[in-house]
Amino acid sequence: MKMSGFAEPARGDTMDRLRIREYRGEDYREVRRLYAAGFTEKTHSLFVHVLTRAWVQLALLALLLGVLVLSRGSALASLAAAALLLSGTRLAVGQLLDRGVRLGLREDLQDIGASYMTPGRVACFWVAEDGPGGPLVGTVGVLPCVSQPGAWELKRISVRRDQRGRGVARALCGEAVAFAARSGVRRMVLYTSMLQDDAQRLYLRLGFRKVEEFLWPSLAARLVGFTVFKYGYDVPPLQDA
């Protein structure tokens, strides 16, 4: 069953090779690695965002002026202090993202089989292979949404960096939404962040609509203005899909 909006062909010959199948135990390490890579590669983007925050810029300026005064006008000392502060900020950004990775790995990705593949439960996890038996290039899962009873959440949408822009995420999302429709699900949601502009554009093209945005509930995330977006999608009835 093809869902409207999910069937756009991929670029090149990716779809000729792409195979989407249900998760198996031997995929465990690679699924977790793909998930972690999707976070850590955003370190630079978040670092740049942090530097645009007014309080960070004021802190940098205050530090430079303070060192300049204490060092009796030494520009070299001021530059060294600024370099240390920037390095520390980048390290802190990396640690913030690392906490996000560890949170996911401790939750549903700790035991993927138990979380997603329990018989009789409306939940599933898929992987995309670059050809039968080939390397994993993407993942997606569906679980009942904890924060919105009656809805199901599209989770762990990850695509290997060198495979993006070729329709892999669209195909994975289509598989997940088709499964939801067959299972009688009528409402799906997903959460994404301000760092994932390309993903947000894809979700809009697929028919999802932004329904909420909020700061991630941790002190560090609030300080840097780390915004999370919630998207919703009304799943068409099976006979209309």
Side-chain angles (χ1 to χ4, degrees):
M1 178 185 63
K2 295 292 186 182
M3 305 295 295
S4 176
F6 292 82
E8 179 179 304
R11 299 173 186 173
D13 61 348
T14 299
M15 288 302 288
D16 293 335
R17 302 192 310 270
L18 191 70
R19 178 193 177 207
I20 297 176
R21 60 168 175 79
E22 292 186 3
Y23 168 85
R24 297 195 293 252
E26 60 264 30
D27 303 322
Y28 182 76
R29 289 183 181 275
E30 186 61 14
V31 167
R32 286 165 62 91
R33 191 199 67 78
L34 274 174
Y35 171 75
F39 266 80
T40 56
E41 69 189 25
K42 296 296 185 182
T43 301
H44 179 72
S45 296
L46 183 54
F47 175 64
V48 172
H49 169 77
V50 168
L51 293 182
T52 67
R53 305 291 290 177
W55 72 267
V56 174
Q57 294 174 357
L58 288 173
L60 279 170
L61 180 60
L63 177 69
L64 288 173
L65 292 175
V67 172
L68 196 61
V69 170
L70 292 174
S71 62
R72 298 182 179 180
S74 173
L76 183 60
S78 295
L79 289 174
L84 285 173
L85 182 59
L86 289 173
S87 297
T89 302
R90 188 176 179 89
L91 179 62
V93 165
Q95 291 175 340
L96 175 62
L97 291 175
D98 184 61
R99 283 198 293 271
V101 170
R102 287 186 276 112
L103 179 64
L105 295 180
R106 287 197 308 265
E107 292 182 341
D108 54 299
L109 296 182
Q110 178 66 37
D111 188 338
I112 301 170
S115 297
Y116 289 93
M117 310 305 292
T118 302
R121 189 183 186 202
V122 180
C124 196
F125 198 93
W126 298 266
V127 299
E129 295 178 326
D130 188 8
L136 299 192
V137 297
T139 66
V140 71
V142 172
L143 280 178
C145 182
V146 175
S147 62
Q148 185 176 333
W152 269 251
E153 184 177 350
L154 198 60
K155 295 175 68 72
R156 310 314 180 197
I157 306 167
S158 300
V159 175
R160 205 173 72 189
R161 191 169 190 171
D162 63 344
Q163 296 294 317
R164 292 173 193 164
R166 300 181 178 181
V168 178
R170 179 183 293 271
L172 283 163
C173 290
E175 187 77 22
V177 172
F179 166 83
R182 292 194 301 271
S183 303
V185 171
R186 291 294 169 262
R187 182 68 173 172
M188 298 190 76
V189 299
L190 63 84
Y191 294 88
T192 189
S193 81
M194 64 182 191
L195 301 178
Q196 289 147 324
D197 292 335
D198 290 343
Q200 291 186 61
R201 285 191 286 270
L202 171 63
Y203 303 145
L204 289 171
R205 290 197 300 270
L206 296 180
F208 285 83
R209 293 293 176 262
K210 187 186 297 183
V211 295
E212 186 181 354
E213 62 180 78
F214 55 91
L215 293 177
W216 187 252
S218 77
L219 177 59
R222 289 179 182 278
L223 284 173
V224 301
F226 190 85
T227 306
V228 175
F229 302 101
K230 178 181 179 180
Y231 283 77
Y233 178 78
D234 292 322
V235 182
L238 187 60
Q239 63 270 22
D240 297 334

